[in-house]
């Protein structure tokens, strides 16, 4: 039996639930705002409530690995449990771990997140291409084999990103555009869309000089705490907006710790995103 690709699964869940991705980012300040201690027990409660509120509510959840790794192996165990619970509720998990290294080490990172029997197996993984796009090849191969996907940092939402991503190569193309071109090649011929996405910040304003139509998903962080809004999506992404998976983390999480309040915050963003995309 052939494995269904991440791109196919993502398109389906985006059509069913809308494209919103909500992040689980247990910042120390959010733990405190939720009346929790900045301890393993606080992390466990925060994660349990977030999973309960978000599983089955949104299409995609993006746990930020850094906030779990901060607590060592027991924090990672909390992350493993969350991933399993979200996936069994039919919610796709994009693990935001931004891995990247020389190819032989990249192969081990890929096994950690993209090998079917790994405790951290996720539907997709964020990766950094700044050791060269080719160094990501082991992750591309394993993702293909297991019906998973990647999101490659192309044009990040933070103001510092331009220093690297806007640097112009000898052929006149900048680094961000080069990553988009690699991904378009990776996704060539895939239907309904490919599994190899780009991270492109919703904060970046007019991106009409970039070829964003990579036949794959565009993970767009920056909505909420970083200042972008769902209404910005059509002007930032133009005709590629149909493939955008907008991410909100703190903008939703600040509504906690009440499960219904978190759910309504996520639903409010989801409705705003749907309205913005429908009107585009
Ligand atoms: O370009 C990027 C890539 C990743 N992120 C991550 O997304 C969330 C954003 O959180 P907010 O609270 O909604 O600002 C966070 O996990 C970042 O590490 C990004 O912001 N920009």
């Amino acid at each position: 039996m052939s494995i269904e690709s991440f791109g196919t699964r993502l398109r389906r869940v985006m059509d069913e639930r809308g494209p919103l991705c909500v992040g689980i980012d247990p910042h120390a300040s959010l733990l405190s705002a939720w009346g929790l201690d900045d301890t393993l027990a606080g992390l466990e409660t925060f994660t349990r409530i977030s999973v309960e509120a978000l599983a089955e509510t949104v299409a995609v959840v993006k746990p930020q690995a850094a906030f779990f790794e901060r607590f060592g192996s027991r924090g990672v165990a909390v992350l493993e449990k969350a991933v399993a619970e979200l996936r069994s509720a039919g919610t796709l998990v994009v693990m935001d771990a931004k891995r990247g290294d020389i190819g032989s080490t990249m192969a081990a990172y890929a096994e950690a997140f993209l090998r079917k029997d790994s405790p951290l197996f996720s539907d997709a993984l964020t990766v950094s291409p700044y050791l060269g796009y080719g160094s990501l090849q082991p992750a591309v191969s394993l993702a293909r084999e297991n019906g998973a996907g990647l999101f490659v940092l192309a044009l990040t939402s933070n103001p510092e990103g331009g220093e690297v991503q806007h640097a112009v190569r000898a052929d006149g193309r900048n680094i961000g555009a080069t990553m988009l071109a690699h991904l378009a090649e990776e996704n060539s011929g895939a239907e309904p869309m490919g599994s190899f996405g780009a991270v492109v910040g919703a904060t970046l304003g007019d991106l009409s000089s970039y070829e964003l139509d990579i036949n794959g998903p565009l993970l767009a962080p920056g909505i909420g705490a970083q200042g972008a809004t769902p209404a910005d999506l059509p002007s930032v992404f133009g005709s590629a907006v149909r493939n955008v998976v907008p991410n909100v983390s703190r903008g939703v999480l600040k509504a906690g710790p009440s499960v219904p309040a978190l759910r309504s915050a996520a639903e409010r963003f989801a409705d705003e995103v749907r309205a913005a995309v429908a009107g585009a």
Side-chain angles (χ1 to χ4, degrees):
M1 199 180 68
S2 72
I3 293 184
E4 212 173 23
S5 73
F6 172 66
T8 302
R9 295 185 295 122
L10 178 61
R11 170 59 71 209
R12 187 170 52 239
V13 78
M14 284 168 80
D15 289 347
E16 284 168 6
R17 298 184 185 184
L20 186 71
C21 168
V22 177
I24 301 185
D25 292 42
H27 289 260
S29 57
L30 282 171
L31 291 173
S32 162
W34 285 27
L36 300 168
D37 293 331
D38 188 15
T39 58
L40 183 70
L43 178 77
E44 275 169 338
T45 305
F46 186 98
T47 307
R48 180 177 44 73
I49 291 172
S50 301
V51 169
E52 187 184 338
L54 300 172
E56 296 175 29
T57 302
V58 293
V60 184
V61 168
K62 181 178 79 60
Q64 174 50 261
F67 293 110
F68 296 85
E69 290 168 354
R70 192 161 92 78
F71 291 93
S73 59
R74 285 178 295 176
V76 174
V78 175
L79 179 57
E80 288 173 3
K81 184 165 177 277
V83 170
E85 288 171 355
L86 288 162
R87 296 196 71 243
S88 66
T91 305
L92 299 188
V93 173
V94 173
M95 180 62 69
D96 196 351
K98 298 191 183 66
R99 297 307 200 246
D101 210 316
I102 61 168
S104 50
T105 304
M106 193 62 215
Y109 280 136
E111 285 194 33
F113 297 101
L114 303 169
R115 201 188 60 209
K116 226 29 214 224
D117 60 352
S118 162
L120 280 171
F121 177 77
S122 301
D123 298 285
L125 171 69
T126 59
V127 291
S128 169
Y130 295 108
L131 276 82
Y133 184 84
S135 67
L136 301 177
Q137 197 49 53
V140 171
S141 303
L142 202 58
R144 277 197 202 286
E145 211 175 289
N146 290 325
L150 297 178
F151 284 98
V152 175
L153 300 180
L155 294 162
T156 59
S157 66
N158 58 320
E160 305 86 356
E163 176 186 352
V164 176
Q165 297 147 18
H166 299 168
V168 178
R169 300 171 1 137
D171 65 2
R173 199 152 63 173
N174 78 20
I175 302 295
T178 304
M179 296 310 144
L180 292 168
H182 281 301
L183 290 163
E185 208 170 301
E186 216 72 78
N187 292 322
S188 162
E191 282 184 38
M193 72 172 160
S195 301
F196 299 95
V199 176
V200 178
T203 47
L204 298 177
D206 180 8
L207 293 176
S208 54
S209 61
Y210 288 92
E211 186 41 81
L212 294 174
D213 186 3
I214 59 167
N215 190 31
L218 301 169
L219 178 65
I223 294 176
Q226 294 178 53
T229 68
D232 295 330
L233 295 171
S235 60
V236 177
F237 292 95
S239 61
V241 77
R242 212 179 97 74
N243 283 358
V244 170
V245 180
N247 178 82
V248 188
S249 302
R250 285 166 290 178
V252 166
L253 296 170
K254 70 180 187 193
S258 145
V259 167
L262 280 164
R263 248 183 226 144
S264 1
E267 277 159 4
R268 228 176 11 254
F269 273 107
D271 287 346
E272 285 178 36
V273 164
R274 255 193 294 263
V277 172

